[in-house]
Amino acid sequence: IVEVETNMERAWRVRAGIIRVCGMETYQCVVAASLSDEPDAGSSILSFVRYAMKRGPRARFDKAAPDVERFAEIVRSVKNERHYWVQFMRFSKTRDGVYVAVCNPKASVVPLLWVVLGPVQHAAVFDEVHHVAGVSHNGEWQLVRSPDFVVPPAAVDDAFYEQAWKTFYDSVAVDARYNPELRRSFMPKRLWKNILEMHEDLPGTELARA
């Protein structure tokens, strides 16, 4: 293993080359793959980029090609993880008026969530697995490494909204159609610790027990 120091000049040159030859969508797939936790993500990206620079914009659709197949799997896995957190990210309001969400993704997907969240005035999304936080201040997002992040105390009225959400969750449930196995297929259990309505120690979550 050789540690290579990041050279931003070269990085921007590679970025420009991929976009010029293969298009922005292909470049976005490369970005997604770079956020993966898979140990072979780096080598898969390198193989794909070499192939794509010769093949052009259609390269990412050549999923039967050896240089594309594994890359496509990694991209799909990262995008699926992003999709989970678009659905299940829960924000709490702190006493300072900042909205904070904590997530535990299998890939470092916080940078991919900014587009969905948009220009929020004061918010933070903390990834407790990769120890990074996306922080929005005056509508601009920044990525911050934060190994010792502590969620600030909740606002006084936050408990009211939490209870309202849990009550709604419990009220719309249909007892006759309770299917914990199906729910776990759509909402993996590894996510539950950061999903408000799945906290068993809080009222209004009778159906959270699986």
Side-chain angles (χ1 to χ4, degrees), residues 10-139:
R10 291 180 180 177
W12 281 104
R13 193 172 70 192
V14 172
R15 176 185 184 275
I18 295 174
I19 295 173
R20 183 182 68 255
V21 176
C22 306
M24 179 58 75
E25 291 188 11
T26 297
Y27 170 71
Q28 290 173 342
C29 288
V30 172
V31 171
S34 72
L35 301 174
S36 172
D37 290 344
E38 294 294 332
D40 64 336
S43 57
S44 298
I45 293 170
L46 178 60
S47 297
F48 170 77
V49 169
R50 284 175 169 171
Y51 177 85
M53 293 300 283
K54 298 176 182 177
R55 184 76 168 85
R58 298 293 303 173
R60 63 193 177 93
F61 299 107
D62 298 342
K63 295 182 180 179
D67 292 327
V68 181
E69 182 179 15
R70 177 57 180 156
F71 173 82
E73 291 176 356
I74 292 173
V75 172
R76 182 170 61 252
S77 175
V78 172
K79 289 186 175 181
N80 285 343
E81 194 66 19
R82 169 190 174 275
H83 184 65
Y84 278 138
W85 290 106
V86 169
Q87 297 180 83
F88 300 126
M89 196 160 46
R90 301 292 185 255
F91 283 87
S92 295
K93 183 182 179 182
T94 69
R95 294 176 185 175
D96 296 328
V98 178
Y99 288 87
V100 177
V102 180
C103 59
N104 56 314
K106 288 198 300 184
S108 188
V109 297
V110 168
L112 301 182
L113 298 173
W114 298 348
V115 176
V116 180
L117 296 175
V120 183
Q121 287 298 313
H122 301 290
V125 179
F126 177 63
D127 178 345
E128 63 182 3
V129 177
H130 303 89
H131 304 290
V132 296
V135 180
S136 175
H137 180 67
N138 294 328

Side-chain angles (χ1 to χ4, degrees), residues 169 172-184 186 207:
Y169 171 80
V172 298
V174 180
D175 292 345
R177 300 184 65 182
Y178 180 54
N179 188 335
E181 290 78 16
L182 180 63
R183 180 177 59 183
R184 284 195 292 269
F186 289 112
L207 294 181

Side-chain angles (χ1 to χ4, degrees), residues 163 165-171 197 199 202-207:
Q163 183 58 53
W165 173 247
K166 290 193 288 285
T167 301
F168 168 78
Y169 171 80
D170 192 46
S171 298
E197 60 270 28
H199 293 179
L202 296 172
T205 54
E206 287 78 1
L207 294 181

